[in-house]
Amino acid sequence: MMITVLLRREVPNGIVEELILFRCCSIYETNSTMPPEPRNLREKMASKRVSCRWCRMVCVVPLEAQSFYCPSCRGSTVLERTYNFPYSTNQGYAAHGRLYQSNAPPQQLSPPSHAYGRKRAVLCGITYKGHRQSLQGSVNDVMSMKKLLLQRFRFPLSSTLVLTEEEEDYRRAPTKTNIRNALRWLVEGTRAGDSLVFQYSGHGSQVRDRDGDEVDGYDEALLPVDYETEGRILDDELNATIVRPLPRGATLHAIIDTCFSGTFLDLPNVCRINRQAYYKWEDHRLPNATYKGTSGGFALSISACDDHQSSGDTTAFTGNATGALTYSFVQTLELEKKLSYGNLLLALQNRIGAAQQALGLNTNDSKSTQEPQLSSSHKFDIQSKTFTL
């Protein structure tokens, strides 16, 4: 059953939004007014001049801005370059009308370095505890993925960063600021031979595309635990932060278990495959749109569903809540020691499809079904290339 609710609210930057809220806490932005003019000289002066990292055009942005989109080349530039995780004296954060606090001392996150080895991961799971549309399986997803990375793929524990509401250190809570810092930590200092993993299990949403780089007219967005006050993280920012800096010889895998996630990293190539294993690559680049590839590296995203579909947080597999994609992904890789990207994608689709049929869901309806997707910075033969992390 789909429930649709029209909301109107003022978000932190003064923009008034009308939102349509429906299944899976999916949020579509339908209208947005421009931010108000500065009320006084002090507010007007709270700005800084920065240069676009792509065309070098000088722009004026708010003093607290962490990224901006260039009106000339439409490129995205990340401004904040600090990797020290925030720490406040009250050791808490606000979300969903509640203040969450911890008395545990902060754990220092060492700066990225190759003392970690050549593998690094950020695993982010958000349950939205206290929200009327909370999720039950996100932390389970992160714990099962962490076990897979440590035991099967030999990721060092010291280079595997977990962000959940269960973490005692405030700097490991999945707030917008902490997620941004974690993603910058993930790619900082990356060089040829490095293997990076970003896993996200939580709510996803779509907002109307403002810069003309989306085929369907909508940007996808990640919802941090404090999104109601701090806002979303758009796919444009995710791409600019962890995809575009990726150097030649480095590899990034993103495992995205959320709704509307087919093009969650804005990668230019999307793979379409049928049940008979025939596949083709779709080019999602648009004329005059921002470059969404890497700096020579190889980026891939395995997502829970297509951009117009919803993903499941379900107990159908084990009786315990888990994301359908994450459970299928982990189980497949634990059972199959060697398989191609094509075989992995088919295995994910078959597992989830079988679970949906067992629940009596209509798998012939593309909108109500859940079909895992593969997107990439480069086209490749998915049947011959072996999957590894």
Side-chain angles (χ1 to χ4, degrees):
M1 180 179 71
M2 184 171 295
I3 301 173
T4 304
V5 181
L6 182 64
L7 302 175
R8 184 176 176 86
R9 72 179 184 188
E10 183 173 350
V11 293
N13 58 4
I15 297 178
V16 177
E17 295 178 321
E18 289 181 356
L19 308 172
I20 296 177
L21 178 67
F22 68 106
R23 183 170 50 182
C24 284
C25 193
S26 312
I27 299 175
Y28 283 77
E29 178 183 348
T30 59
N31 186 38
S32 179
T33 63
M34 293 300 292
E37 290 296 323
R39 294 185 296 269
N40 52 52
L41 182 60
R42 177 177 297 178
E43 185 175 343
K44 186 179 231 180
M45 292 177 63
S47 61
K48 57 185 176 182
R49 297 169 64 86
V50 296
S51 298
C52 171
R53 65 176 291 191
W54 306 108
C55 70
R56 310 312 299 172
M57 177 180 177
V58 177
C59 301
V60 178
V61 300
L63 190 61
E64 69 276 8
Q66 297 177 347
S67 65
F68 78 97
Y69 298 101
C70 177
S72 176
C73 71
R74 296 183 177 180
S76 176
T77 299
V78 177
L79 302 177
E80 189 179 61
R81 300 301 298 172
T82 176
Y83 302 95
N84 295 319
F85 274 55
Y87 175 68
S88 63
T89 55
N90 64 11
Q91 299 178 7
Y93 63 94
H96 321 310
R98 299 184 181 184
L99 178 64
Y100 296 88
Q101 293 182 306
S102 170
N103 294 321
Q107 304 170 15
Q108 184 61 40
L109 178 68
S110 301
S113 77
H114 290 279
Y116 289 111
R118 307 181 73 85
K119 297 186 176 185
R120 197 180 307 157
V122 169
L123 312 179
C124 179
I126 312 176
T127 65
Y128 309 91
K129 190 181 303 181
H131 194 282
R132 62 187 178 87
Q133 289 183 305
S134 61
L135 299 173
Q136 303 302 314
S138 299
V139 175
N140 294 337
D141 290 345
V142 165
M143 293 301 104
S144 62
M145 183 66 70
K146 179 181 177 181
K147 179 180 177 182
L148 178 74
L149 294 182
L150 297 182
Q151 297 183 2
R152 165 75 194 279
F153 293 102
R154 303 302 179 188
F155 274 63
L157 178 61
S158 57
S159 64
T160 303
L161 176 59
V162 171
L163 302 179
T164 73
E165 292 123 303
E166 304 299 320
E167 300 299 307
E168 292 185 344
D169 185 350
Y170 162 72
R171 293 171 299 178
R172 305 302 188 271
T175 62
K176 184 175 184 178
T177 294
N178 287 352
I179 293 172
R180 280 174 159 173
N181 284 340
L183 293 177
R184 286 190 285 269
W185 170 84
L186 180 66
V187 298
E188 179 70 4
T190 303
R191 65 182 185 184
D194 287 358
S195 175
L196 312 179
V197 170
F198 170 52
Q199 180 210 5
Y200 174 69
S201 179
H203 279 314
S205 71
Q206 289 185 315
V207 299
R208 196 172 299 280
D209 175 33
R210 300 297 184 188
D211 53 5
D213 63 353
E214 295 286 349
V215 172
D216 62 357
Y218 288 93
D219 282 314
E220 285 66 51
L222 176 159
L223 270 59
V225 68
D226 55 353
Y227 76 93
E228 291 177 317
T229 57
E230 301 305 313
R232 316 168 185 86
I233 299 177
L234 296 185
D235 53 3
D236 293 331
E237 180 178 344
L238 293 175
N239 182 279
T241 304
I242 62 176
V243 173
R244 290 177 68 169
L246 201 65
R248 186 175 303 278
T251 303
L252 167 71
H253 284 86
I255 316 300
I256 308 298
D257 202 345
T258 187
C259 300
F260 317 116
S261 51
T263 60
F264 211 72
L265 291 193
D266 260 1
L267 296 172
N269 304 293
V270 177
C271 183
R272 304 297 187 189
I273 188 170
N274 62 21
R275 300 297 180 183
Q276 291 73 44
Y278 291 105
Y279 74 93
K280 65 177 181 179
W281 287 100
E282 290 182 356
D283 189 340
H284 276 231
R285 294 174 297 177
L286 292 177
N288 303 319
T290 305
Y291 174 70
K292 292 302 179 94
T294 67
S295 297
F298 191 31
L300 306 100
S301 177
I302 297 174
S303 52
C305 58
D306 210 342
D307 282 345
H308 64 282
Q309 296 176 339
S310 298
S311 64
D313 185 41
T314 180
T315 60
F317 292 105
T318 66
N320 296 319
T322 184
L325 173 73
T326 303
Y327 178 83
S328 301
F329 180 82
V330 171
Q331 288 297 306
T332 299
L333 292 176
E334 286 183 344
L335 293 174
E336 301 287 342
K337 299 305 180 184
K338 185 177 181 180
L339 74 170
S340 67
Y341 282 86
N343 289 337
L344 173 60
L345 190 58
L346 283 177
L348 297 178
Q349 292 182 350
N350 291 336
R351 278 180 177 270
I352 294 176
Q356 288 182 311
Q357 286 185 337
L359 294 172
L361 299 178
N362 182 12
T363 57
N364 293 320
D365 181 358
S366 65
K367 289 187 177 180
S368 62
T369 192
Q370 178 180 344
E371 299 171 320
Q373 302 292 312
L374 171 68
S375 58
S376 174
S377 58
H378 298 79
K379 298 177 182 179
F380 64 97
D381 184 355
I382 66 171
Q383 304 295 9
S384 63
K385 187 175 179 62
T386 301
F387 177 85
T388 190
L389 292 175

